[in-house]
Amino acid sequence: PFVFAAAYLLSALAAIECPLSSIVAVGNRHRRSREYRNGLDGPAQHSLFCPKLCFILNAKNMKQSKQRFLLKRAYYIASIFLIGAMQLFIVRQNAKASIGLELSLVRNKFLDKPPTNIVVMGEINSGHKYAANILRSAFGDMTQLHEHIFRHDLLDQDELQDVKMRTDILWVMVVRSPCDAADAVIRFHKDACKKQKLPAKRCDLHEFASEADYYRTPWYDVHSNETDADDTQFIDSKPSQTWKYDDIFDMRRQKLLLMKQIIDVVPRHVKILRLSEFELNPDVFVKDLVKEYTFDLTKTY
């Protein structure tokens, strides 16, 4: 607003026409000659707003000054319109963002009852364990960590109906950017090979493969029998399935499709947690859940 007001003031000052009639008196050659000499001795004092425009030496200079005056006025007017348009655009964008945020934080007040359980799930190496620990410290035992879903087919209608009936669950789905997710899986396999937790044939790749090779090579998704003791399983895995994917991103696509099925069934009971944003300030996500679902924080959070 201050920049807009300053530009408007400048354009208003430039729009004031100079009192040329007080400088050039028609039919009075003596006065014109005297004012011409005064102009050579020092700057004219006839105008406080635009002395350069009002300092007229002769008819030719007067014409040139009027042209410069018109150009400058057009410049100021164009500037004020440009600044006003930019300000209007910024205000409208901020208003849209504010309205969208407020709607997202109150829309679930219209549910029959708020969820009583938080189930955190994610793709492999998505950081969902880290997110679950933060949410458990904020909301206590109502937060549960879902075991990684290992299966290569989609959920059938019976499974989707079971998900739809669980209105007591808020599904928090942790995702990463494609490259971050791929790099996390690659690091996990490298570390596992160093600790000799993977078969030797699967570890041969890590000895000579480049970063580009990791992205292009086919991937075998094999179930790991190691799970945490506190992991919950609402959706069944199928550990007997072993599947070869075209590349690491093709494997990730299957994991995301399983989560998208849940989103389509219970959209108001799902929150997407982007790990890169969550790591910057986890408290923002926690407070949003409190506003949106009226959750109670633990005394130790």
Coordinates of all heavy atoms in Angstrom, one line a residue, residues 195-277:
K195 N 26.2 -55.1 5.9 CA 26.0 -55.8 7.1 C 25.6 -57.3 6.8 O 25.3 -58.1 7.7 CB 24.8 -55.2 7.9 CG 25.1 -53.8 8.4 CD 23.9 -53.2 9.1 CE 24.1 -51.8 9.5 NZ 22.9 -51.2 10.1
Q196 N 25.7 -57.7 5.5 CA 25.5 -59.0 5.0 C 24.1 -59.6 5.4 O 23.9 -60.7 5.8 CB 26.6 -60.0 5.6 CG 27.9 -59.6 5.1 CD 29.0 -60.5 5.6 OE1 28.7 -61.4 6.5 NE2 30.2 -60.4 5.1
K197 N 23.1 -58.7 5.2 CA 21.7 -59.1 5.5 C 21.0 -59.6 4.2 O 19.9 -60.1 4.2 CB 20.9 -58.0 6.1 CG 21.4 -57.7 7.6 CD 20.5 -56.7 8.2 CE 20.9 -56.4 9.6 NZ 20.0 -55.4 10.3
L198 N 21.7 -59.3 3.0 CA 21.1 -59.7 1.8 C 21.9 -60.8 1.1 O 23.1 -60.9 1.4 CB 21.0 -58.4 0.8 CG 20.1 -57.3 1.3 CD1 20.1 -56.2 0.3 CD2 18.7 -57.8 1.5
P199 N 21.3 -61.6 0.2 CA 22.1 -62.6 -0.5 C 23.2 -62.0 -1.3 O 23.1 -60.8 -1.8 CB 21.0 -63.2 -1.4 CG 19.7 -62.9 -0.8 CD 19.9 -61.6 -0.1
A200 N 24.2 -62.8 -1.5 CA 25.4 -62.3 -2.2 C 25.1 -61.8 -3.6 O 25.7 -60.8 -4.1 CB 26.5 -63.3 -2.2
K201 N 24.3 -62.5 -4.3 CA 24.0 -62.2 -5.7 C 23.3 -60.8 -5.8 O 23.5 -60.1 -6.8 CB 23.1 -63.3 -6.3 CG 23.7 -64.6 -6.5 CD 22.8 -65.6 -7.2 CE 23.5 -66.9 -7.4 NZ 22.6 -67.9 -8.1
R202 N 22.5 -60.5 -4.8 CA 21.8 -59.2 -4.9 C 22.8 -58.0 -4.5 O 22.5 -56.9 -4.8 CB 20.6 -59.2 -3.9 CG 19.6 -60.1 -4.3 CD 18.4 -60.1 -3.3 NE 17.8 -58.8 -3.2 CZ 17.0 -58.4 -2.2 NH1 16.7 -59.3 -1.3 NH2 16.5 -57.2 -2.2
C203 N 23.9 -58.4 -3.8 CA 24.8 -57.3 -3.4 C 25.9 -57.1 -4.5 O 26.7 -56.1 -4.3 CB 25.5 -57.7 -2.1 SG 24.3 -57.7 -0.7
D204 N 26.0 -58.0 -5.5 CA 27.0 -57.8 -6.5 C 26.8 -56.5 -7.2 O 27.8 -55.8 -7.7 CB 27.0 -58.9 -7.5 CG 27.5 -60.2 -6.8 OD1 28.2 -60.1 -5.8 OD2 27.2 -61.3 -7.4
L205 N 25.6 -56.0 -7.4 CA 25.3 -54.8 -8.1 C 25.9 -53.6 -7.5 O 26.4 -52.7 -8.2 CB 23.8 -54.6 -8.2 CG 23.3 -53.3 -8.8 CD1 23.6 -53.2 -10.2 CD2 21.8 -53.1 -8.6
H206 N 26.0 -53.6 -6.2 CA 26.5 -52.4 -5.5 C 28.0 -52.2 -5.6 O 28.5 -51.1 -5.2 CB 26.1 -52.5 -4.0 CG 24.6 -52.6 -3.7 ND1 23.7 -51.7 -4.1 CD2 23.9 -53.6 -3.2 CE1 22.5 -52.1 -3.8 NE2 22.6 -53.3 -3.2
E207 N 28.7 -53.2 -6.1 CA 30.1 -53.0 -6.2 C 30.5 -52.3 -7.5 O 31.6 -51.7 -7.5 CB 30.8 -54.4 -6.2 CG 30.5 -55.2 -4.9 CD 31.2 -56.6 -4.9 OE1 31.8 -56.9 -6.0 OE2 31.1 -57.3 -4.0
F208 N 29.7 -52.3 -8.5 CA 30.2 -51.7 -9.8 C 29.1 -50.7 -10.4 O 29.4 -50.0 -11.3 CB 30.5 -52.7 -10.8 CG 29.3 -53.6 -11.1 CD1 28.4 -53.3 -12.1 CD2 29.1 -54.8 -10.5 CE1 27.3 -54.1 -12.4 CE2 28.1 -55.6 -10.8 CZ 27.2 -55.3 -11.8
A209 N 27.9 -50.7 -9.8 CA 26.8 -49.9 -10.4 C 27.0 -48.4 -10.1 O 27.5 -48.0 -9.0 CB 25.5 -50.3 -9.9
S210 N 26.7 -47.6 -11.1 CA 26.7 -46.1 -11.0 C 25.4 -45.7 -10.5 O 24.4 -46.4 -10.4 CB 27.1 -45.4 -12.3 OG 26.1 -45.7 -13.2
E211 N 25.2 -44.4 -10.2 CA 23.9 -43.8 -9.8 C 22.9 -44.0 -10.9 O 21.7 -44.3 -10.6 CB 24.1 -42.4 -9.4 CG 22.8 -41.7 -8.9 CD 23.0 -40.3 -8.5 OE1 24.1 -39.8 -8.5 OE2 22.0 -39.6 -8.1
A212 N 23.3 -43.8 -12.2 CA 22.4 -43.9 -13.3 C 21.9 -45.4 -13.4 O 20.8 -45.7 -13.8 CB 23.0 -43.4 -14.6
D213 N 22.9 -46.3 -13.1 CA 22.5 -47.7 -13.2 C 21.4 -48.1 -12.2 O 20.6 -48.9 -12.4 CB 23.7 -48.6 -13.0 CG 24.8 -48.5 -14.1 OD1 24.3 -48.2 -15.2 OD2 26.0 -48.6 -13.8
Y214 N 21.5 -47.5 -11.0 CA 20.5 -47.8 -10.0 C 19.1 -47.4 -10.4 O 18.2 -48.0 -10.2 CB 20.9 -47.0 -8.7 CG 22.0 -47.7 -7.9 CD1 23.2 -47.1 -7.6 CD2 21.7 -48.9 -7.3 CE1 24.1 -47.7 -6.9 CE2 22.7 -49.6 -6.5 CZ 23.9 -48.9 -6.3 OH 24.9 -49.5 -5.5
Y215 N 19.1 -46.3 -11.1 CA 17.8 -45.8 -11.6 C 17.2 -46.6 -12.7 O 16.0 -46.7 -12.9 CB 17.9 -44.3 -12.0 CG 18.1 -43.3 -10.8 CD1 18.8 -42.1 -11.0 CD2 17.7 -43.6 -9.6 CE1 19.0 -41.3 -10.0 CE2 17.9 -42.8 -8.5 CZ 18.6 -41.6 -8.7 OH 18.8 -40.8 -7.7
R216 N 18.1 -47.2 -13.5 CA 17.6 -47.9 -14.7 C 17.5 -49.4 -14.6 O 16.7 -50.0 -15.3 CB 18.6 -47.6 -15.9 CG 18.6 -46.2 -16.4 CD 19.3 -46.1 -17.7 NE 20.7 -46.6 -17.6 CZ 21.8 -45.7 -17.6 NH1 21.5 -44.4 -17.6 NH2 23.0 -46.2 -17.5
T217 N 18.2 -49.9 -13.6 CA 18.2 -51.4 -13.5 C 16.9 -51.9 -13.0 O 16.2 -51.3 -12.2 CB 19.3 -51.8 -12.6 OG1 19.5 -53.3 -12.6 CG2 19.1 -51.4 -11.2
P218 N 16.5 -53.1 -13.4 CA 15.2 -53.8 -12.8 C 15.4 -54.0 -11.3 O 16.5 -54.2 -10.8 CB 15.1 -55.1 -13.6 CG 15.9 -54.8 -14.8 CD 17.0 -53.9 -14.5
W219 N 14.3 -54.0 -10.6 CA 14.3 -54.2 -9.1 C 13.4 -55.4 -8.8 O 12.3 -55.5 -9.2 CB 13.9 -53.0 -8.4 CG 15.0 -52.0 -8.2 CD1 15.4 -51.1 -9.2 CD2 15.7 -51.8 -7.1 NE1 16.4 -50.3 -8.7 CE2 16.7 -50.7 -7.4 CE3 15.8 -52.3 -5.8 CZ2 17.6 -50.2 -6.4 CZ3 16.7 -51.9 -4.9 CH2 17.6 -50.8 -5.2
Y220 N 13.9 -56.2 -7.9 CA 13.1 -57.3 -7.3 C 12.7 -56.9 -5.9 O 13.5 -56.6 -5.1 CB 14.0 -58.6 -7.2 CG 14.2 -59.3 -8.6 CD1 15.4 -58.9 -9.3 CD2 13.3 -60.2 -9.1 CE1 15.6 -59.5 -10.5 CE2 13.6 -60.8 -10.3 CZ 14.7 -60.5 -11.0 OH 15.0 -61.0 -12.2
D221 N 11.4 -56.9 -5.7 CA 10.8 -56.6 -4.4 C 10.6 -57.8 -3.6 O 9.7 -58.6 -3.9 CB 9.5 -55.8 -4.6 CG 9.1 -55.1 -3.3 OD1 9.9 -55.0 -2.4 OD2 7.9 -54.7 -3.3
V222 N 11.4 -58.0 -2.6 CA 11.4 -59.3 -1.8 C 11.0 -58.9 -0.4 O 11.5 -57.9 0.2 CB 12.8 -60.0 -1.8 CG1 12.7 -61.3 -1.0 CG2 13.2 -60.3 -3.3
H223 N 10.1 -59.7 0.2 CA 9.6 -59.4 1.5 C 10.6 -59.6 2.6 O 11.4 -60.6 2.5 CB 8.4 -60.2 1.8 CG 7.7 -60.0 3.1 ND1 7.9 -60.7 4.2 CD2 6.9 -59.0 3.5 CE1 7.3 -60.3 5.3 NE2 6.6 -59.2 4.9
S224 N 10.7 -58.7 3.5 CA 11.6 -58.8 4.6 C 10.8 -59.3 5.8 O 9.8 -58.8 6.2 CB 12.3 -57.5 5.0 OG 13.1 -57.6 6.1
N225 N 11.3 -60.3 6.5 CA 10.7 -60.9 7.7 C 10.8 -60.1 8.9 O 10.2 -60.4 10.0 CB 11.2 -62.3 7.9 CG 10.8 -63.3 6.8 OD1 9.7 -63.1 6.2 ND2 11.7 -64.2 6.4
E226 N 11.7 -59.0 8.9 CA 12.0 -58.2 10.0 C 10.9 -57.1 10.2 O 10.8 -56.3 9.3 CB 13.4 -57.6 10.0 CG 14.5 -58.6 10.0 CD 15.8 -58.0 10.0 OE1 15.9 -56.7 10.0 OE2 16.8 -58.7 9.9
T227 N 10.2 -57.1 11.2 CA 9.2 -56.1 11.5 C 9.4 -55.7 13.0 O 9.8 -56.4 13.8 CB 7.8 -56.6 11.3 OG1 7.5 -57.7 12.1 CG2 7.5 -57.0 9.9
D228 N 9.0 -54.4 13.2 CA 9.1 -53.9 14.6 C 7.9 -54.5 15.4 O 6.8 -54.8 14.9 CB 9.0 -52.4 14.6 CG 10.2 -51.8 14.0 OD1 11.2 -52.4 13.9 OD2 10.1 -50.6 13.5
A229 N 8.2 -54.6 16.7 CA 7.2 -55.2 17.6 C 5.9 -54.4 17.7 O 4.8 -55.0 17.9 CB 7.8 -55.4 19.0
D230 N 6.0 -53.1 17.5 CA 4.8 -52.3 17.7 C 4.1 -52.0 16.4 O 3.2 -51.2 16.3 CB 5.2 -50.9 18.4 CG 6.2 -50.2 17.5 OD1 6.8 -50.8 16.6 OD2 6.4 -48.9 17.8
D231 N 4.5 -52.6 15.3 CA 3.9 -52.4 14.0 C 2.5 -53.0 14.0 O 2.2 -54.1 14.6 CB 4.7 -53.1 12.9 CG 5.9 -52.2 12.5 OD1 6.1 -51.2 13.2 OD2 6.6 -52.6 11.6
T232 N 1.5 -52.3 13.4 CA 0.2 -52.7 13.2 C -0.1 -53.1 11.8 O 0.5 -52.5 10.9 CB -0.8 -51.6 13.7 OG1 -0.5 -51.2 15.0 CG2 -2.3 -52.1 13.6
Q233 N -1.0 -54.0 11.6 CA -1.3 -54.4 10.2 C -2.8 -54.5 10.0 O -3.5 -55.4 10.4 CB -0.7 -55.8 9.9 CG -0.8 -56.2 8.4 CD 0.0 -57.4 8.1 OE1 0.7 -57.9 9.0 NE2 -0.1 -57.8 6.9
F234 N -3.4 -53.4 9.4 CA -4.8 -53.4 9.1 C -5.0 -53.9 7.7 O -6.1 -54.4 7.4 CB -5.3 -51.9 9.2 CG -5.4 -51.4 10.6 CD1 -4.4 -50.6 11.1 CD2 -6.5 -51.7 11.4 CE1 -4.4 -50.1 12.4 CE2 -6.6 -51.2 12.7 CZ -5.5 -50.4 13.2
I235 N -4.1 -53.8 6.8 CA -4.2 -54.2 5.4 C -3.1 -55.3 5.3 O -1.9 -55.1 5.5 CB -3.9 -53.1 4.4 CG1 -5.0 -52.0 4.6 CG2 -3.9 -53.6 3.0 CD1 -4.8 -50.8 3.7
D236 N -3.6 -56.5 4.8 CA -2.7 -57.7 4.7 C -1.6 -57.5 3.7 O -1.9 -57.0 2.6 CB -3.5 -58.9 4.4 CG -4.5 -59.3 5.6 OD1 -4.1 -58.9 6.7 OD2 -5.5 -59.9 5.3
S237 N -0.5 -58.0 4.0 CA 0.6 -58.2 3.0 C 0.6 -59.6 2.5 O -0.1 -60.5 3.0 CB 2.0 -57.9 3.7 OG 2.1 -56.5 4.0
K238 N 1.3 -59.8 1.4 CA 1.4 -61.1 0.8 C 2.9 -61.4 0.6 O 3.5 -61.2 -0.5 CB 0.7 -61.2 -0.5 CG -0.8 -60.9 -0.4 CD -1.6 -61.0 -1.7 CE -3.1 -60.8 -1.5 NZ -3.8 -60.9 -2.8
P239 N 3.5 -61.9 1.7 CA 5.0 -62.1 1.6 C 5.5 -63.2 0.6 O 6.6 -63.2 0.3 CB 5.3 -62.5 3.1 CG 4.1 -63.1 3.6 CD 3.0 -62.3 3.0
S240 N 4.6 -64.1 0.2 CA 5.0 -65.1 -0.7 C 5.2 -64.5 -2.1 O 5.8 -65.2 -3.0 CB 3.9 -66.2 -0.8 OG 2.7 -65.7 -1.2
Q241 N 4.7 -63.3 -2.4 CA 4.9 -62.8 -3.7 C 6.3 -62.1 -3.9 O 6.7 -61.4 -3.0 CB 3.8 -61.7 -4.0 CG 2.4 -62.2 -4.1 CD 1.4 -61.1 -4.3 OE1 1.7 -59.9 -4.1 NE2 0.3 -61.4 -4.9
T242 N 6.9 -62.5 -5.0 CA 8.2 -61.8 -5.4 C 8.0 -61.3 -6.8 O 7.6 -62.0 -7.7 CB 9.4 -62.8 -5.3 OG1 9.5 -63.3 -4.0 CG2 10.7 -62.1 -5.7
W243 N 8.3 -60.0 -7.0 CA 7.9 -59.4 -8.2 C 9.1 -58.6 -8.8 O 9.9 -58.0 -8.0 CB 6.8 -58.4 -8.0 CG 6.0 -58.1 -9.2 CD1 6.2 -57.0 -10.1 CD2 4.9 -58.9 -9.8 NE1 5.3 -57.1 -11.1 CE2 4.5 -58.2 -10.9 CE3 4.3 -60.0 -9.4 CZ2 3.4 -58.7 -11.7 CZ3 3.2 -60.5 -10.2 CH2 2.8 -59.8 -11.3
K244 N 9.3 -58.7 -10.1 CA 10.3 -57.9 -10.8 C 9.7 -56.7 -11.4 O 8.8 -56.8 -12.2 CB 11.0 -58.8 -11.8 CG 12.1 -58.1 -12.6 CD 12.7 -59.0 -13.6 CE 13.8 -58.3 -14.4 NZ 14.4 -59.1 -15.5
Y245 N 10.2 -55.5 -11.1 CA 9.8 -54.3 -11.6 C 10.8 -53.7 -12.6 O 12.0 -54.1 -12.6 CB 9.6 -53.2 -10.5 CG 8.4 -53.6 -9.6 CD1 8.6 -54.2 -8.4 CD2 7.1 -53.3 -9.9 CE1 7.6 -54.5 -7.5 CE2 6.0 -53.6 -9.1 CZ 6.3 -54.2 -7.9 OH 5.2 -54.5 -7.1
D246 N 10.3 -52.9 -13.5 CA 11.1 -52.4 -14.6 C 12.3 -51.6 -14.0 O 13.4 -51.6 -14.5 CB 10.3 -51.5 -15.6 CG 9.3 -52.3 -16.3 OD1 9.5 -53.5 -16.5 OD2 8.3 -51.7 -16.8
D247 N 12.0 -50.8 -13.0 CA 13.0 -50.0 -12.3 C 12.5 -49.6 -10.9 O 11.4 -50.0 -10.5 CB 13.4 -48.7 -13.1 CG 12.2 -47.9 -13.5 OD1 11.3 -47.7 -12.7 OD2 12.1 -47.5 -14.7
I248 N 13.3 -48.9 -10.2 CA 12.9 -48.5 -8.8 C 11.7 -47.6 -8.8 O 10.9 -47.7 -7.8 CB 14.1 -47.9 -8.1 CG1 13.9 -47.8 -6.6 CG2 14.4 -46.5 -8.7 CD1 15.1 -47.4 -5.9
F249 N 11.5 -46.8 -9.8 CA 10.3 -45.9 -9.8 C 9.0 -46.7 -10.1 O 7.9 -46.3 -9.7 CB 10.5 -44.8 -10.8 CG 11.7 -43.9 -10.5 CD1 12.9 -44.0 -11.2 CD2 11.6 -43.0 -9.4 CE1 14.0 -43.3 -10.8 CE2 12.7 -42.2 -9.1 CZ 13.9 -42.4 -9.8
D250 N 9.2 -47.8 -10.9 CA 8.0 -48.6 -11.2 C 7.6 -49.4 -9.9 O 6.4 -49.5 -9.7 CB 8.4 -49.7 -12.3 CG 7.2 -50.5 -12.7 OD1 6.1 -49.9 -12.7 OD2 7.4 -51.7 -13.0
M251 N 8.5 -49.7 -9.1 CA 8.2 -50.4 -7.8 C 7.5 -49.4 -6.9 O 6.5 -49.7 -6.2 CB 9.5 -50.9 -7.1 CG 9.2 -51.6 -5.8 SD 10.7 -52.2 -5.0 CE 11.6 -50.7 -4.7
R252 N 8.0 -48.1 -6.9 CA 7.4 -47.1 -6.0 C 5.9 -46.8 -6.5 O 5.1 -46.5 -5.6 CB 8.2 -45.8 -6.1 CG 7.7 -44.7 -5.2 CD 8.6 -43.5 -5.3 NE 8.2 -42.5 -4.3 CZ 7.5 -41.4 -4.7 NH1 7.2 -41.2 -5.9 NH2 7.2 -40.5 -3.8
R253 N 5.7 -46.9 -7.7 CA 4.4 -46.6 -8.3 C 3.4 -47.6 -7.7 O 2.2 -47.2 -7.3 CB 4.4 -46.7 -9.8 CG 3.0 -46.5 -10.5 CD 3.1 -46.6 -12.0 NE 1.9 -46.5 -12.6 CZ 1.1 -47.6 -12.9 NH1 1.5 -48.8 -12.5 NH2 -0.1 -47.4 -13.5
Q254 N 3.7 -48.8 -7.5 CA 2.8 -49.8 -7.0 C 2.5 -49.5 -5.5 O 1.3 -49.6 -5.1 CB 3.5 -51.2 -7.0 CG 2.7 -52.3 -6.3 CD 1.3 -52.6 -6.8 OE1 1.0 -52.3 -8.0 NE2 0.5 -53.2 -6.0
K255 N 3.5 -49.0 -4.7 CA 3.2 -48.7 -3.3 C 2.3 -47.5 -3.2 O 1.4 -47.5 -2.4 CB 4.5 -48.3 -2.6 CG 5.7 -49.3 -2.9 CD 5.4 -50.7 -2.4 CE 6.6 -51.6 -2.6 NZ 6.3 -53.0 -2.1
L256 N 2.5 -46.5 -4.1 CA 1.6 -45.3 -4.1 C 0.2 -45.7 -4.5 O -0.8 -45.1 -4.0 CB 2.2 -44.2 -4.9 CG 3.5 -43.7 -4.5 CD1 4.0 -42.6 -5.5 CD2 3.5 -43.1 -3.1
L257 N 0.0 -46.6 -5.4 CA -1.3 -47.0 -5.9 C -2.1 -47.6 -4.8 O -3.4 -47.4 -4.6 CB -1.2 -47.9 -7.1 CG -0.9 -47.3 -8.4 CD1 -0.7 -48.4 -9.5 CD2 -1.9 -46.3 -8.9
L258 N -1.5 -48.4 -3.9 CA -2.2 -49.0 -2.8 C -2.7 -47.9 -1.8 O -3.8 -48.0 -1.3 CB -1.2 -49.9 -2.0 CG -0.9 -51.2 -2.8 CD1 0.2 -52.0 -2.0 CD2 -2.1 -52.1 -2.9
M259 N -1.9 -46.9 -1.6 CA -2.3 -45.8 -0.7 C -3.4 -45.0 -1.3 O -4.3 -44.5 -0.7 CB -1.1 -44.9 -0.3 CG -0.1 -45.7 0.6 SD 1.1 -44.6 1.4 CE 2.1 -44.2 -0.1
K260 N -3.3 -44.8 -2.6 CA -4.3 -44.0 -3.3 C -5.7 -44.7 -3.3 O -6.7 -44.0 -3.2 CB -3.9 -43.8 -4.8 CG -4.9 -42.8 -5.5 CD -4.4 -42.6 -6.9 CE -5.3 -41.6 -7.6 NZ -6.7 -42.0 -7.7
Q261 N -5.7 -46.0 -3.3 CA -7.0 -46.7 -3.1 C -7.7 -46.3 -1.8 O -8.9 -46.1 -1.7 CB -6.8 -48.2 -3.2 CG -6.5 -48.7 -4.6 CD -6.5 -50.2 -4.6 OE1 -5.6 -50.9 -4.1 NE2 -7.6 -50.8 -5.2
I262 N -6.9 -46.2 -0.7 CA -7.4 -45.8 0.6 C -7.9 -44.4 0.5 O -9.0 -44.0 1.1 CB -6.4 -46.0 1.7 CG1 -5.9 -47.4 1.7 CG2 -6.9 -45.5 3.0 CD1 -4.8 -47.7 2.7
I263 N -7.2 -43.5 -0.1 CA -7.6 -42.1 -0.3 C -8.9 -42.0 -1.0 O -9.8 -41.2 -0.6 CB -6.5 -41.3 -1.0 CG1 -5.2 -41.2 -0.2 CG2 -7.0 -39.8 -1.3 CD1 -4.1 -40.6 -0.9
D264 N -9.1 -42.8 -2.0 CA -10.4 -42.7 -2.8 C -11.6 -43.2 -2.0 O -12.7 -42.7 -2.2 CB -10.2 -43.5 -4.1 CG -9.2 -42.9 -5.1 OD1 -8.9 -41.7 -5.0 OD2 -8.7 -43.7 -5.9
V265 N -11.3 -44.1 -1.1 CA -12.5 -44.7 -0.3 C -12.8 -43.8 0.9 O -14.0 -43.5 1.1 CB -12.1 -46.1 0.2 CG1 -13.2 -46.6 1.1 CG2 -11.9 -47.0 -1.0
V266 N -11.8 -43.3 1.6 CA -12.1 -42.4 2.8 C -11.3 -41.1 2.7 O -10.4 -40.9 3.5 CB -11.8 -43.2 4.1 CG1 -12.9 -44.2 4.4 CG2 -10.4 -43.8 4.0
P267 N -11.6 -40.2 1.8 CA -10.8 -39.0 1.5 C -10.8 -38.1 2.8 O -9.8 -37.4 3.0 CB -11.5 -38.3 0.3 CG -12.9 -38.9 0.3 CD -12.8 -40.3 0.9
R268 N -11.8 -38.1 3.6 CA -11.8 -37.2 4.7 C -11.1 -37.8 6.0 O -11.0 -37.1 7.0 CB -13.3 -36.8 5.1 CG -13.9 -35.9 4.1 CD -15.1 -35.2 4.7 NE -15.7 -34.2 3.8 CZ -16.7 -33.4 4.1 NH1 -17.3 -33.5 5.3 NH2 -17.1 -32.4 3.3
H269 N -10.7 -39.0 5.8 CA -10.0 -39.6 6.9 C -8.5 -39.9 6.5 O -7.9 -40.8 7.1 CB -10.6 -40.9 7.3 CG -11.9 -40.8 8.0 ND1 -12.0 -40.8 9.4 CD2 -13.2 -40.5 7.6 CE1 -13.3 -40.6 9.7 NE2 -14.0 -40.4 8.6
V270 N -8.0 -39.1 5.6 CA -6.6 -39.3 5.1 C -5.9 -37.9 5.2 O -6.4 -36.9 4.7 CB -6.6 -39.9 3.7 CG1 -5.1 -39.9 3.2 CG2 -7.2 -41.2 3.7
K271 N -4.7 -37.9 5.7 CA -3.8 -36.8 5.6 C -2.5 -37.2 4.9 O -1.9 -38.2 5.3 CB -3.5 -36.2 7.0 CG -4.7 -35.7 7.7 CD -5.3 -34.5 7.1 CE -4.4 -33.3 7.3 NZ -5.0 -32.0 6.8
I272 N -2.1 -36.4 4.0 CA -0.8 -36.6 3.3 C 0.3 -35.8 4.0 O 0.2 -34.6 4.3 CB -0.8 -36.1 1.8 CG1 -2.0 -36.8 1.1 CG2 0.5 -36.4 1.1 CD1 -1.9 -38.3 1.0
L273 N 1.3 -36.6 4.4 CA 2.5 -36.0 5.2 C 3.7 -36.0 4.3 O 4.2 -37.1 4.0 CB 2.7 -36.7 6.5 CG 3.7 -36.1 7.5 CD1 3.4 -36.5 8.9 CD2 5.2 -36.4 7.1
R274 N 4.1 -34.9 3.8 CA 5.3 -34.8 2.9 C 6.5 -34.6 3.9 O 6.7 -33.7 4.6 CB 5.2 -33.6 2.0 CG 4.1 -33.7 0.9 CD 4.0 -32.5 0.1 NE 3.0 -32.7 -1.0 CZ 1.7 -32.5 -0.8 NH1 1.2 -32.2 0.4 NH2 0.9 -32.7 -1.8
L275 N 7.4 -35.6 3.8 CA 8.5 -35.7 4.8 C 9.4 -34.5 4.8 O 9.8 -34.0 5.8 CB 9.3 -37.0 4.6 CG 10.4 -37.3 5.6 CD1 9.7 -37.6 7.0 CD2 11.2 -38.5 5.2
S276 N 9.7 -34.0 3.6 CA 10.6 -32.8 3.5 C 10.0 -31.6 4.2 O 10.8 -30.9 4.8 CB 10.9 -32.5 2.0 OG 9.6 -32.2 1.3
E277 N 8.7 -31.4 4.1 CA 8.1 -30.3 4.8 C 8.0 -30.6 6.3 O 8.1 -29.7 7.2 CB 6.7 -30.0 4.2 CG 6.8 -29.6 2.7 CD 5.4 -29.4 2.1 OE1 4.4 -29.5 2.9 OE2 5.3 -29.1 0.9

